[in-house]
Amino acid sequence: LKSNPSNNEEKEAQSQLTKSDELQRLHSQALSAYQQEDYGAAISLLDEILAVCVWDAELRELRAECYIKEGEPSKAISDLKAAAKLKNDNTEAFYKISRIYYQLGDHELSLSEVRECLKLDQDHKQCFSLYKQVKKLNKQIESAEEFIREGRYEDAISKYDSVMKTEPEVPIYSTRAKERICHCLSKNQQATEAIKLCTEVLQLEPTNLNALKDRAEAYLLEDMYEE
């Protein structure tokens, strides 16, 4: 304005200044809402700011935190992926993405993201620790699936037992392991055990198609046609 005080530019500059003040006010409100654990309100405010400040990595990371707290992991991943691109060497974003995928039971994507973190910093303690855990789990699951393809059902059951021991804290891995063990028992003509285990899975996930099919196969072996 000082260098070139023409009318048009003055209006434009004043409008930008007003918008800038408004965005700072929204930012303060968003931080306050976040601190008060009102994550829904924080998300609404951050939506408004990010509509203008599209390239702000910190704001995206903050909104991702709010999405995690609100139980919307896929939206958190979307913001964290943008933040990983917007900020150089953003190991923290890759670590968080990997952790979310891991909690959701997507061990392959989790492994891929944590490797990105280690490419940026091979000494990153949290990423290295997560990498070891996911790699071990991933290897056990791949190995179990290979046994199933070869018809080695006892070996597959043993391997899925190991999966449950490797990750006892995240329920989805135990449920998936039980679902696959039920499949192996059914294929191995161990009908009673298969019915018991598939029923366990179906109490947790009543619409689990694999468990329904495998339990049906087991019922057939026992001549329980109505069931």
Side-chain angles (χ1 to χ4, degrees):
L1 265 177
K2 280 176 182 165
S3 69
N4 197 353
S6 74
N7 270 351
N8 283 350
E9 277 159 4
E10 185 168 357
K11 277 183 192 158
E12 172 67 10
Q14 289 299 347
S15 132
Q16 293 288 353
L17 274 172
T18 308
K19 189 185 278 185
S20 149
D21 289 343
E22 171 67 4
L23 288 172
Q24 283 184 318
R25 187 180 63 75
L26 291 172
H27 188 214
S28 299
Q29 287 181 337
L31 288 174
S32 171
Y34 177 76
Q35 279 150 8
Q36 288 164 21
E37 299 182 11
D38 187 352
Y39 302 114
I43 288 167
S44 297
L45 291 158
L46 289 164
D47 287 347
E48 280 190 68
I49 307 168
L50 278 160
V52 182
C53 307
V54 184
W55 314 114
D56 193 309
E58 273 82 8
L59 289 177
R60 287 192 178 275
E61 285 173 9
L62 181 60
R63 189 168 66 175
E65 283 300 314
C66 295
Y67 280 136
I68 290 166
K69 302 283 190 189
E70 287 285 280
E72 297 198 68
S74 56
K75 289 183 179 177
I77 286 171
S78 171
D79 266 344
L80 287 166
K81 284 194 167 178
K85 288 196 179 89
L86 292 167
K87 197 158 78 182
N88 285 342
D89 299 344
N90 197 344
T91 51
E92 197 56 32
F94 285 117
Y95 172 70
K96 284 179 182 171
I97 295 167
S98 178
R99 274 218 67 81
I100 295 170
Y101 277 135
Y102 187 71
Q103 296 292 325
L104 291 173
D106 201 328
H107 50 94
E108 288 168 335
L109 279 175
S110 175
L111 190 58
S112 159
E113 294 295 333
V114 81
R115 278 183 175 139
E116 291 300 319
C117 173
L118 290 171
K119 275 183 201 169
L120 296 171
D121 178 5
Q122 60 189 22
D123 299 321
H124 194 291
K125 280 186 182 166
Q126 287 176 305
C127 284
F128 187 65
S129 167
L130 180 60
Y131 171 71
K132 282 198 299 185
Q133 174 72 1
V134 188
K135 191 180 177 196
K136 182 180 179 184
L137 192 75
N138 198 53
K139 196 169 179 196
Q140 287 174 333
I141 292 170
E142 280 181 352
S143 176
E145 288 301 312
E146 184 63 33
F147 286 144
I148 289 172
R149 284 191 290 275
E150 292 168 2
R152 294 166 60 185
Y153 299 117
E154 292 293 339
D155 291 333
I157 289 167
S158 164
K159 195 58 79 173
Y160 268 119
D161 279 333
S162 301
V163 167
M164 289 192 278
K165 290 191 185 88
T166 297
E167 185 42 88
E169 303 296 320
V170 184
I172 194 163
Y173 294 108
S174 295
T175 307
R176 288 289 160 272
K178 285 175 182 174
E179 177 198 305
R180 298 305 279 155
I181 291 171
C182 163
H183 175 73
C184 295
L185 290 166
S186 176
K187 289 284 185 194
N188 220 24
Q189 315 274 299
Q190 292 166 268
T192 310
E193 295 95 321
I195 291 165
K196 180 173 174 286
L197 204 56
C198 272
T199 302
E200 243 183 81
V201 173
L202 287 161
Q203 279 164 351
L204 297 166
E205 298 179 352
T207 57
N208 185 314
L209 287 181
N210 292 327
L212 285 166
K213 286 192 288 186
D214 289 322
R215 190 170 68 173
E217 292 291 339
Y219 281 142
L220 285 174
L221 292 169
E222 296 286 282
D223 299 336
M224 296 165 74
Y225 301 120
E226 287 296 326
E227 287 84 348

